[in-house]
């Protein structure tokens, strides 16, 4: 993608693809921007041990965008493709360049990427308390809906959880069959929802939990594990998790949570982190009853106010940060 400057923004601002050589600088801007906004004494300690910038770039370099001011890197934004579902962010701008409309400029290539993918459900996670953030995304058709709780629970498993396996245990020859079963499951959650790319990536940054009923997959959880991933030190992050909807979904969700905690224990991690939208009342209530407690709360914004898979009967965990 060539550098683009539009007349609607300052003449010295532009966007282009983010380069691999810029990841360290983009990561610093990411920490400085969020750390400054929430008021940390040392903004650079924001998300210590977590790598969001590098992992998002590695997932799809063609969906990672840089914002420039006077030819220098000043921010970044990312697009994530889950089949029919697409997610914005994280979008960050260096504090020196706040209020110069660079955030709006960086939304343009992401929206173009969503159009090229043919995504039907577009969403993002942002600060519920910030009119500035809400208004930025509203300009692009996103509407604030229910809160999303990012929750944590200490690992306390004493007995292995039965009925699950790790994706890494499969032979390469089994991958297409298992990925097809996973797509069949997520298709029942929301038409076209496909986590195949995220599942494949866990071979290098984590693990995918597969809850089995006989030879079929009845639940899955894409997990990042430990420092240098999106999880951070001593954390098993459930980036996405879901079970087959319908009768028995609540019990399957309990089994999925057991399996995630079991995975964390096996890998020597002390905390499970998982988020869910509060419109998914049954999933949220189950997690609270099992000892998960909210560490961070934001709001999910959906384009065209589409509820997507955020409704009471959806037993789904996801992290749109």
């Amino acid at each position: 993608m060539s550098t683009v400057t539009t007349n609607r923004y300052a003449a010295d601002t532009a966007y282009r693809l983010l380069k691999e050589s810029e990841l360290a600088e983009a990561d610093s801007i990411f920490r400085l921007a969020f750390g400054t906004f929430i008021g940390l004494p040392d903004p650079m300690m924001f998300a210590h041990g977590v790598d969001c910038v590098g992992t998002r770039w590695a997932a799809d370099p063609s969906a990672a965008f840089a914002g420039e001011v006077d030819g220098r890197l000043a921010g970044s934004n990312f697009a994530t493709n889950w089949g029919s579902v697409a997610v914005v962010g994280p979008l960050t701008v260096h504090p020196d360049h706040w209020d110069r409309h660079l955030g709006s400029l960086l939304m343009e290539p992401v929206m173009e990427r969503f159009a090229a993918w043919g995504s039907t459900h577009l969403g993002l996670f942002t600060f519920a308390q910030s009119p500035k953030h809400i208004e930025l995304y509203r300009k692009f058709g996103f509407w604030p809906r229910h809160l999303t709780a990012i929750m944590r629970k200490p690992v306390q498993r004493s007995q292995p959880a039965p009925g699950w396996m790790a994706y890494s245990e499969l032979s390469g020859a089994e991958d297409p069959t298992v990925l097809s079963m996973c797509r069949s499951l997520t298709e029942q959650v929301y038409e076209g929802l496909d986590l195949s790319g995220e599942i494949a990536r866990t071979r290098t940054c984590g693990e995918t939990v597969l809850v089995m009923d006989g030879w079929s997959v009845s639940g899955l959880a894409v997990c990042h594990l430990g420092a240098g991933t999106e999880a951070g030190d001593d954390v098993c992050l459930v980036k996405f998790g879901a079970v087959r909807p319908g009768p028995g979904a609540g019990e399957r969700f309990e089994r999925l949570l057991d399996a995630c905690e079991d995975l964390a224990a096996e890998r020597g991690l002390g905390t499970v982190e998982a988020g869910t939208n509060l419109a998914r009342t049954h999933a949220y209530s189950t997690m609270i009853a099992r000892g998960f407690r909210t560490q961070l709360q934001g709001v999910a914004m959906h384009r065209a106010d589409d509820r997507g898979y955020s409704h009471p009967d959806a037993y789904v965990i996801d992290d749109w940060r």
Side-chain angles (χ1 to χ4, degrees):
M1 178 179 291
S2 61
T3 300
V4 177
T5 301
T6 79
N7 292 331
R8 290 180 295 144
Y9 307 106
D12 57 352
T13 61
Y15 69 75
R16 56 173 172 75
L17 290 175
L18 183 66
K19 303 172 186 175
E20 185 174 11
S21 61
E22 297 173 316
L23 292 180
E25 186 177 0
D27 180 80
S28 294
I29 293 172
F30 161 81
R31 297 180 197 282
L32 179 63
F34 280 123
T36 299
F37 179 80
I38 65 176
L40 291 182
D42 180 0
M44 297 305 293
M45 292 302 293
F46 176 81
H48 181 70
V50 172
D51 182 1
C52 280
V53 170
T55 55
R56 301 294 168 87
W57 184 91
D60 186 355
S62 72
F65 303 98
E68 290 183 344
V69 175
D70 293 327
R72 298 190 60 181
L73 185 68
S76 61
N77 196 11
F78 300 85
T80 295
N81 184 357
W82 291 351
S84 61
V85 176
V87 183
V88 179
L91 189 164
T92 51
V93 173
H94 194 291
D96 289 349
H97 303 295
W98 287 354
D99 301 318
R100 296 187 65 176
H101 305 293
L102 191 59
S104 294
L105 182 65
L106 278 166
M107 282 296 294
E108 292 195 354
V110 167
M111 299 305 293
E112 291 169 4
R113 184 66 70 229
F114 291 166
W117 290 340
S119 309
T120 59
H121 179 52
L122 313 182
L124 58 93
F125 174 99
T126 193
F127 299 102
Q129 77 278 19
S130 173
K132 182 177 178 180
H133 287 80
I134 299 294
E135 179 59 18
L136 165 63
Y137 298 120
R138 191 200 61 78
K139 290 189 299 184
F140 289 87
F142 292 87
W143 195 257
R145 290 180 59 86
H146 289 75
L147 296 174
T148 291
I150 306 298
M151 297 182 282
R152 285 191 167 192
K153 179 187 185 299
V155 174
Q156 298 171 324
R157 299 292 294 165
S158 57
Q159 297 293 328
W164 72 277
M165 66 181 298
Y167 180 71
S168 64
E169 296 173 7
L170 301 173
S171 68
E174 296 173 296
D175 284 6
T177 300
V178 171
L179 288 175
S180 177
M181 288 192 288
C182 291
R183 283 193 297 271
S184 177
L185 187 159
T186 54
E187 178 80 22
Q188 294 176 64
V189 172
Y190 183 82
E191 184 178 359
L193 176 61
D194 185 0
L195 275 293
S196 298
E198 296 285 356
I199 293 169
R201 281 208 301 139
T202 60
R203 287 198 180 277
T204 57
C205 67
E207 185 62 86
T208 297
V209 167
L210 303 171
V211 174
M212 308 299 295
D213 280 334
W215 293 101
S216 67
V217 175
S218 62
L220 64 91
V222 177
C223 301
H224 285 224
L225 303 174
T229 72
E230 294 180 30
D233 297 334
D234 200 34
V235 174
C236 168
L237 169 67
V238 184
K239 186 171 177 66
F240 181 91
V243 299
R244 188 175 66 247
E251 184 273 335
R252 289 189 287 274
F253 191 63
E254 297 260 12
R255 290 173 58 198
L256 183 66
L257 294 174
D258 283 343
C260 292
E261 193 164 348
D262 207 25
L263 171 68
E266 285 185 1
R267 301 301 174 90
L269 301 171
T271 302
V272 177
E273 180 170 302
T276 195
N277 189 271
L278 271 61
R280 304 170 201 150
T281 51
H282 300 319
Y284 175 69
S285 297
T286 298
M287 295 174 72
I288 290 294
R290 293 175 62 95
F292 283 88
R293 294 295 179 264
T294 300
Q295 304 295 309
L296 171 67
Q297 195 160 261
V299 64
M301 298 186 69
H302 297 185
R303 194 153 196 255
D305 201 23
D306 173 24
R307 76 169 188 168
Y309 52 86
S310 288
H311 55 81
D313 294 328
Y315 284 90
V316 177
I317 294 166
D318 58 6
D319 194 328
W320 284 2
R321 286 177 292 173

